[in-house]
Amino acid sequence: GWTKLMDMAGFAATMPRRGLPVFMGYVAPPVEFIGGVMILAGFATRYAALMILAFTIIASFSSHAFWTFSTPADRGMHFTHFWKNVTMKGGLLLLFITGAGRYSLDAMLRRK
């Protein structure tokens, strides 16, 4: 998310070819970066997991729709990324259900 955050205008310019409105290019980078930091720190973990889950669902179907590519190399690359995103969605669902661990900010705030 950091590289997208550092060039949001460039990233936003790629949205129309993905079938998404340009404003999503300004929403996605902060969501991806801040959500990732929140998960890493274990802060508001369940909310962050849902936020990143929504981002990943949109990214999977807009950027990695492997069935729309005609060349074998492009199709294979996007096939791999699509299924990688499916596995990440499973992990995010698990994180949403279980929440953060005992060494997270969530746990420290809960104790006080």
Side-chain angles (χ1 to χ4, degrees):
W2 178 253
T3 55
K4 294 174 191 167
L5 197 60
M6 293 296 101
D7 184 22
M8 285 202 299
F11 181 66
T14 68
M15 292 294 108
R17 75 170 186 239
R18 300 169 196 250
L20 296 171
V22 173
F23 83 89
M24 291 290 285
Y26 293 98
V27 172
V31 165
E32 186 177 3
F33 181 75
I34 293 168
V37 170
M38 290 170 68
I39 287 173
L40 185 63
F43 178 71
T45 306
R46 287 189 165 114
Y47 298 113
L50 282 179
M51 188 170 58
I52 297 294
L53 178 63
F55 170 84
T56 307
I57 290 169
I58 293 167
S60 296
F61 288 100
S62 65
S63 299
H64 302 302
F66 64 90
W67 52 89
T68 63
F69 291 90
S70 56
T71 63
D74 286 338
R75 191 179 189 99
M77 179 187 67
H78 288 284
F79 178 86
T80 301
H81 286 295
F82 180 87
W83 287 105
K84 175 231 355 148
N85 284 1
V86 169
T87 63
M88 287 178 13
K89 289 175 215 168
L92 289 165
L93 281 173
L94 181 64
L95 194 54
F96 172 72
I97 292 166
T98 62
R102 76 173 80 154
Y103 301 112
S104 66
L105 288 175
D106 286 347
M108 289 190 315
L109 293 171
R110 223 179 2 254
R111 282 186 224 131
K112 299 205 183 251

